[in-house]
Amino acid sequence: MPSQQSLSPPTADDTSLLLAYVLICSADKVRPLLEDQKMLFSKANTTTLREIGIHFHRGLVLSRDKRGEIEAEGKVNATASGLSFDTTHRLISFMRNNVSLGTMAGSRTLINVILLHVTSMLQTQGWRVKIFPNFSVKATFKTDSGKQSFSGLIDYVLVHLPLGAFSEIALNNSMQALRSAPEKDKTTTPIVIVAKKNNLVRAIPQAAIAAASYCKQQSLSVLRGCITSGEQWVLFIYRGPDALGDSATGKFQFAKQFSLGKDLCNLAFVVGMLRDMANNALNYDQKYFSYEE
């Protein structure tokens, strides 16, 4: 059996072959620079947002004397089939004592419990809020150079769906169903981005471009959401160019970080914020926060 030999570059005597070899090698190096480079949302940074035209800053401020109202909203119990605030409080306390929350898997476990509680509070006659983890979003935005496009997964998308067959279809085939659903059968609620455990602010570019991409894909002008590790939460709102009325791609404003706190002293506050956000996901006007430019 003949031995396998690797191809060697042609010698200087083979002029035509040498020229062809150089051209092929050069094309292989240049091609990646010319082709569209697919990037994940998590690879976005502040430079990316500037190139795309998304303005971002911490301009979402909790209004004075509103904390009590938010906590009261967070303690409202769900319907008989939902989770009570006391039950969720005990469950999270048990988790803190028995589950390692120092990993992303641990963080997701905590996030799941809180989101389940919030969705059980939002059940209304004829409608339910469903949770779609790892929601895929196609590439939408490109940088000014046109060489990079961004796509990826949104860790959680919450969606109001009517009771009935469509709701069941959507749960089993979320991406296709939600993209093809008639407007009367869907109302998008928050996007939740899971961030690094110790620095949620670093995930702001990821959250901003994910929110902008989702808005463009779903033809939305305004969308609220949050960045979270389960223990810490940063709320945000995104406005697209239609809402801004100018040439900017979009505007991303976020609030300071809020924590569940020792002994879950801030759980009602966090749940109240999430409930308000879910009920007003497409509204720019804020009930408990104000905007600072």
Side-chain angles (χ1 to χ4, degrees):
M1 182 176 178
S3 61
Q4 294 181 348
Q5 296 182 351
S6 59
L7 294 176
S8 301
T11 63
D13 294 334
D14 303 319
T15 306
S16 59
L17 290 177
L18 180 61
L19 178 60
Y21 178 80
V22 171
L23 291 174
I24 291 172
C25 291
S26 299
D28 288 340
K29 292 180 179 179
V30 171
R31 188 178 297 112
L33 301 178
L34 299 177
E35 293 177 345
D36 180 16
Q37 300 177 29
K38 306 295 184 182
M39 305 291 287
L40 297 176
F41 292 144
S42 58
K43 299 298 183 181
N45 53 39
T46 55
T47 301
T48 304
L49 299 186
R50 294 188 183 97
E51 289 183 356
I52 292 175
I54 298 177
H55 304 303
F56 61 98
H57 66 100
R58 200 179 102 179
L60 202 54
V61 181
L62 178 64
S63 300
R64 292 183 179 182
D65 304 323
K66 291 295 185 180
R67 187 179 184 92
E69 293 181 40
I70 298 175
E71 290 178 346
E73 188 165 347
K75 289 182 178 180
V76 172
N77 282 322
T79 59
S81 61
L83 296 171
S84 70
F85 179 81
D86 290 340
T87 297
T88 300
H89 191 287
R90 288 197 301 269
L91 182 56
I92 295 176
S93 296
F94 184 82
M95 287 181 57
R96 278 182 163 183
N97 292 327
N98 296 279
V99 178
S100 172
L101 300 177
T103 64
M104 188 55 68
S107 292
R108 279 182 174 268
T109 304
L110 177 56
I111 294 167
N112 290 342
V113 172
I114 294 174
L115 292 184
L116 280 172
H117 176 77
V118 172
T119 57
S120 72
M121 298 172 69
L122 296 173
Q123 297 182 41
T124 59
Q125 185 175 5
W127 290 84
R128 295 292 184 269
V129 174
K130 306 296 184 180
I131 302 172
F132 295 90
N134 292 345
F135 191 92
S136 176
V137 178
K138 295 180 180 179
T140 304
F141 289 103
K142 290 187 177 183
T143 56
D144 287 342
S145 63
K147 297 176 182 177
Q148 292 181 331
S149 61
F150 291 85
S151 62
L153 299 177
I154 296 176
D155 292 314
Y156 301 90
V157 173
L158 278 65
V159 180
H160 278 289
L161 292 176
L163 291 177
F166 176 75
S167 180
E168 299 304 319
I169 293 172
L171 284 179
N172 293 325
N173 193 3
S174 60
M175 270 122 354
Q176 180 178 348
L178 292 181
R179 286 171 185 153
S180 60
E183 290 302 318
K184 66 181 179 64
D185 283 340
K186 65 177 181 179
T187 302
T188 305
T189 54
I191 291 176
V192 179
I193 308 295
V194 178
K196 293 184 178 180
K197 183 69 178 178
N198 58 354
N199 194 342
L200 301 190
V201 175
R202 291 184 61 183
I204 284 174
Q206 175 187 351
I209 196 168
S213 299
Y214 188 84
C215 277
K216 192 167 185 177
Q217 180 176 289
Q218 299 291 335
S219 300
L220 301 174
S221 298
V222 177
L223 186 67
R224 301 192 195 189
C226 58
I227 308 167
T228 181
S229 66
E231 289 283 354
Q232 289 81 34
W233 298 76
V234 173
L235 273 63
F236 68 77
I237 186 167
Y238 171 80
R239 288 184 292 164
D242 293 340
L244 293 173
D246 57 30
S247 58
T249 299
K251 191 169 186 177
F252 184 91
Q253 292 172 278
F254 58 96
K256 73 173 186 178
Q257 179 174 294
F258 297 101
S259 172
L260 294 182
K262 186 178 180 180
D263 299 325
L264 299 177
C265 59
N266 295 324
L267 177 61
F269 178 74
V270 170
V271 170
M273 289 193 302
L274 293 175
R275 185 184 182 191
D276 173 68
M277 182 174 64
N279 282 329
N280 299 283
L282 307 182
N283 296 330
Y284 176 69
D285 295 335
Q286 296 278 346
K287 182 179 180 181
Y288 299 124
F289 288 81
S290 59
Y291 294 104
E292 289 187 357
E293 299 299 331

